[in-house]
Amino acid sequence: MLRFALRRVASAVLTLLGVLALVFGLVTAAPGDAAALAARAGGNRAVAVSPEALAAFRHLYGLDRPVAERFLTWVWRAVRLDFGRSLVDGQPVTLRVARALPTTFALNLAALLLACVIGVPLGVAAARRPAGRLDRISGFLCDALFSTPSFVVGLVLLLVFSGWLRVTPLFADAETGLRGFLLPVVTLALASLAFVARFVRVCVATALADPAALAGRARGEGPSEEIRRALRRSSAPFAAMGAALVPSVVSGSILVERVFSLPGAGGLLAEAVFARDLPTVLALTLLSAVVVVAASLAADLVTAALDPRTVREDVPAAGGVAA
Amino acid sequence: MTAPRAALSRAALAFALFPLLALLAPLVAREKPWVSGRLGETVLSAPVPFDPDAVDLDRRLAPPGRRHLFGTDELGRDVLSRALHGARLSVAAGLLASALALGLGAALGTLAGWAGGRTDRAVLLFLQIVQALPALVLVIAGAAFLKPSFLVAALLIALTGWTDSARLVRAGTQRLRNEAFVDAARASGASTARLLFVHVLPHALPPALATLPYVLGSAVLTEAGLSFLGLGTPPPAASWGRALAEARGLLPGAWWCVLPPAVALFFLVWTARRLGDAFLGRRGDVQSRLA
């Protein structure tokens, strides 16, 4: 178990280093280096900057050093959460990200909770009678939700609840408080809800079809006891489900924050891309990778604890599913 | 794996509607009449007689009516015409991105499965790295460095979508590498290329091919998200994602600008997923996607 855990941690660290290298490679390979970008940051048009000034800038920021040395310096700074200053307002990137994170964190957590609170009972209810009415209807609805991008769900909800019924605000701000959070959370939850409901349905249906369930029924277990045991037997895949949800929730929250103009990390990323604010883009990209890798690592460890058979397998669990 | 043939053809027909729509859009939705008289008068106009980019500032934000069936947008452009032309972008992006993703996945999967050892581990690590980044984040980060264009968007989306097919092809290649018929071909002096293309890939590729509709569906969704953020194909090309972003600013009025692109986007992805389900002979079963 310990060896497995250590190996998984090492693999996670290696993956994150790979992400760092990939991102660094993108920056290095992109046309125009930071000096040229900074010269342009003031406005859209390139300002005439003398070659000497550019060279001085490059020297100041160490851009004239070899690539390997720059990479190591950058990794060392990233580990200490130092991502430099934003090209937009000159504030430290870490500060800007930290200010945006609580919104995103609250949104994602609330959405995940809501998705599980509704999705798990729905999946269980559908699994009790495979191909029954509830199973067919919920299957159809989940399929439809899978096919709808979160921002479309958000727009339609906005149209109905803010436009026609006028029960929720069109733009969330400090005054609207929690009411402004309602639609974003529901929007983000709906996409995950479909996934959770279908996943739980498959797991529980499999567990109910198991000989163990038949044995339980023969011992005289009631329906609720039967479901409880089925849930318990399929608990290991649920951890994988949690990890698989994370990338799609992160992707979804970028769009949802944009739809509802919430001041979160997703909105910050979109803004930073527009402003070509590379330090902020890099920090947020890394952050999302850390979240995904950490979730996948946690899921693997939980799975290993729940089901020791998995430890023997050499293959790390699949990290994500197409969002 | 035995899909009922009728369900498969139904799903294929429903999905084929969209490429057809994309191909026919310039014919169906255009200002130039189908048949003009000798004096230039209209004898038979196109069903949607508006160019997608034709600005009509006198009729801005007109609600659905006789003249504009689905109303007009902020610049007085016909919403229906733009939705029809938007199909071109979404379908093309989906097809190109998923084809590229399949190609990349097949190449890397074959390489990993065939070579094994260190190469295999390197490819797996690369796969893990790509999966560590949520698809949209990777695409957005890439878009930050490159000039937005149709091709860049398709390439970036392909860069995120190849992992599933790579896994499938890798597993197939590993399984086939030591099969007797491959050994026989090798013993009779077949080159590596011949072994791969004639003996291995025809068996290793179909499972990945069957997932192509899903890859296409999520590619379309990612493209729409990218366009929604303003990082996709630049204006004035009609795009569903951007149309929705523009409509967001017009809420709570102008609901007619939201619904056509939203519904079209939904049906394109939905029919693609149905086609994938029909291929695999199952319905909405998510667990096997996780494996």
Side-chain angles (χ1 to χ4, degrees):
Chain A
M1 179 67 204
L2 188 67
R3 268 194 59 192
F4 172 79
L6 284 178
R7 215 172 49 221
R8 276 300 286 127
V9 171
S11 150
V13 170
L14 194 62
T15 307
L16 281 180
L17 270 178
V19 171
L20 280 164
L22 186 75
V23 170
F24 186 80
L26 259 178
V27 184
T28 319
D33 66 353
L37 271 172
R40 219 181 313 156
N44 283 328
R45 291 197 48 199
V47 191
V49 179
S50 70
E52 292 81 24
L54 276 182
F57 182 94
R58 290 203 178 98
H59 183 70
L60 182 64
Y61 286 94
L63 290 172
D64 48 358
R65 303 286 171 81
V67 175
E69 189 188 324
R70 268 158 50 202
F71 178 62
L72 288 180
T73 318
W74 189 62
V75 170
W76 176 234
R77 288 214 180 131
V79 168
R80 290 182 307 167
L81 298 181
D82 175 8
F83 293 100
R85 285 169 183 280
S86 158
L87 295 184
V88 173
D89 52 9
Q91 287 185 327
V93 169
T94 316
L95 192 72
R96 297 185 79 200
V97 173
R99 226 180 291 144
L101 268 188
T103 309
T104 302
F105 194 66
L107 174 68
N108 288 2
L109 204 66
L112 276 177
L113 267 178
L114 185 65
C116 288
V117 164
I118 301 177
V120 173
L122 189 65
V124 169
R128 290 180 92 139
R129 274 205 194 167
R133 194 187 296 159
L134 184 70
D135 189 27
R136 284 203 311 264
I137 293 175
S138 75
F140 181 79
L141 285 180
C142 290
D143 224 32
L145 275 178
F146 268 129
S147 313
T148 323
S150 51
F151 62 95
V152 168
V153 175
L155 275 173
V156 172
L157 286 181
L158 259 183
L159 185 61
V160 174
F161 288 99
S162 304
W164 291 343
L165 302 178
R166 294 175 190 283
V167 286
T168 46
L170 261 182
F171 294 92
D173 52 36
E175 279 169 44
T176 57
L178 280 181
R179 225 153 44 95
F181 252 100
L182 199 65
L183 282 188
V185 168
V186 170
T187 305
L188 197 54
L190 274 177
S192 315
L193 187 136
F195 182 73
V196 171
R198 289 324 272 170
F199 193 95
V200 169
R201 181 215 167 275
V202 171
C203 289
V204 173
T206 312
L208 282 178
D210 203 72
L214 186 66
R217 231 170 291 144
R219 278 199 307 271
E221 272 172 13
S224 63
E225 176 76 6
E226 193 183 3
I227 293 293
R228 208 175 59 79
R229 284 179 184 269
L231 273 175
R232 179 136 189 211
R233 276 202 303 281
S234 46
S235 54
F238 288 167
M241 175 186 84
L245 272 177
V246 169
S248 65
V249 171
V250 171
S251 284
S253 100
I254 296 174
L255 294 167
V256 170
E257 281 172 22
R258 184 80 173 175
V259 171
F260 294 97
S261 54
L262 287 175
L268 187 62
L269 178 61
E271 239 173 70
V273 169
F274 268 117
R276 304 237 149 195
D277 181 4
L278 296 190
T280 311
V281 175
L282 294 186
L284 286 168
T285 309
L286 279 182
L287 181 69
S288 70
V290 169
V291 170
V292 172
V293 170
S296 147
L297 176 66
D300 278 3
L301 295 182
V302 169
T303 309
L306 288 172
D307 185 356
R309 282 173 302 178
T310 51
V311 175
R312 267 184 268 149
E313 269 163 15
D314 205 27
V315 195
V321 189
Chain B
M1 286 292 137
T2 49
R5 188 142 287 205
L8 187 58
S9 10
R10 253 202 320 271
L13 272 179
F15 174 71
L17 206 67
F18 280 91
L20 196 70
L21 210 62
L23 281 176
L24 291 183
L27 258 174
V28 175
R30 64 171 191 190
E31 205 155 332
K32 208 174 141 228
W34 278 1
V35 183
S36 321
R38 205 174 304 153
L39 301 170
E41 79 275 22
T42 305
V43 175
L44 179 64
S45 67
V48 184
F50 299 100
D51 280 339
D53 301 332
V55 174
D56 184 354
L57 292 178
D58 289 338
R59 291 198 175 73
R60 299 172 58 212
L61 294 176
R66 266 253 176 98
R67 193 179 152 86
H68 295 280
L69 277 181
F70 283 68
T72 61
D73 69 3
E74 222 174 353
L75 295 173
R77 297 174 297 193
D78 186 71
V79 170
L80 180 58
S81 174
R82 282 188 79 71
L84 283 170
H85 280 261
R88 295 168 75 72
L89 195 77
S90 279
V91 169
L95 285 176
L96 183 62
S98 53
L100 284 173
L102 182 76
L104 188 61
L108 285 174
T110 319
L111 177 71
W114 190 260
R118 208 169 280 173
T119 317
D120 187 29
R121 277 202 296 276
V123 171
L124 275 187
L125 181 66
F126 183 44
L127 200 147
Q128 239 173 310
I129 291 167
V130 171
Q131 278 191 334
L133 288 163
L136 195 62
V137 173
L138 183 55
V139 173
I140 291 178
F145 299 105
L146 304 163
K147 228 171 138 225
S149 78
F150 173 75
L151 206 62
V152 165
L155 271 174
L156 283 170
I157 294 168
L159 198 64
T160 64
W162 59 275
T163 49
D164 282 350
S165 52
R167 270 182 204 283
L168 289 167
V169 173
R170 170 177 171 271
T173 311
Q174 268 177 346
R175 186 165 42 78
L176 291 159
R177 191 172 46 180
N178 298 320
E179 284 282 325
F181 72 91
V182 178
D183 278 340
R186 194 181 289 128
S188 56
S191 64
T192 310
R194 189 177 163 79
L195 283 178
L196 284 178
F197 285 107
V198 177
H199 298 287
V200 173
L201 271 180
H203 299 287
L205 208 52
L209 266 178
T211 64
L212 202 59
Y214 295 118
V215 179
L216 191 140
S218 56
V220 168
L221 287 186
T222 312
E223 194 280 327
L226 206 59
S227 291
F228 181 76
L229 294 172
L231 298 167
T233 309
S239 132
W240 293 340
R242 189 149 23 73
L244 286 167
E246 285 162 9
R248 166 64 178 105
L250 302 174
L251 285 176
W255 53 269
W256 55 88
C257 292
V258 176
L259 292 183
V263 171
L265 197 53
F266 165 73
F267 272 109
L268 174 55
V269 179
W270 192 59
T271 51
R273 293 187 56 94
R274 291 293 290 230
L275 184 61
D277 289 350
F279 269 142
L280 299 178
R282 63 184 160 77
R283 305 195 41 191
D285 172 0
V286 273
Q287 195 187 20
S288 46
R289 296 223 58 210
L290 201 71

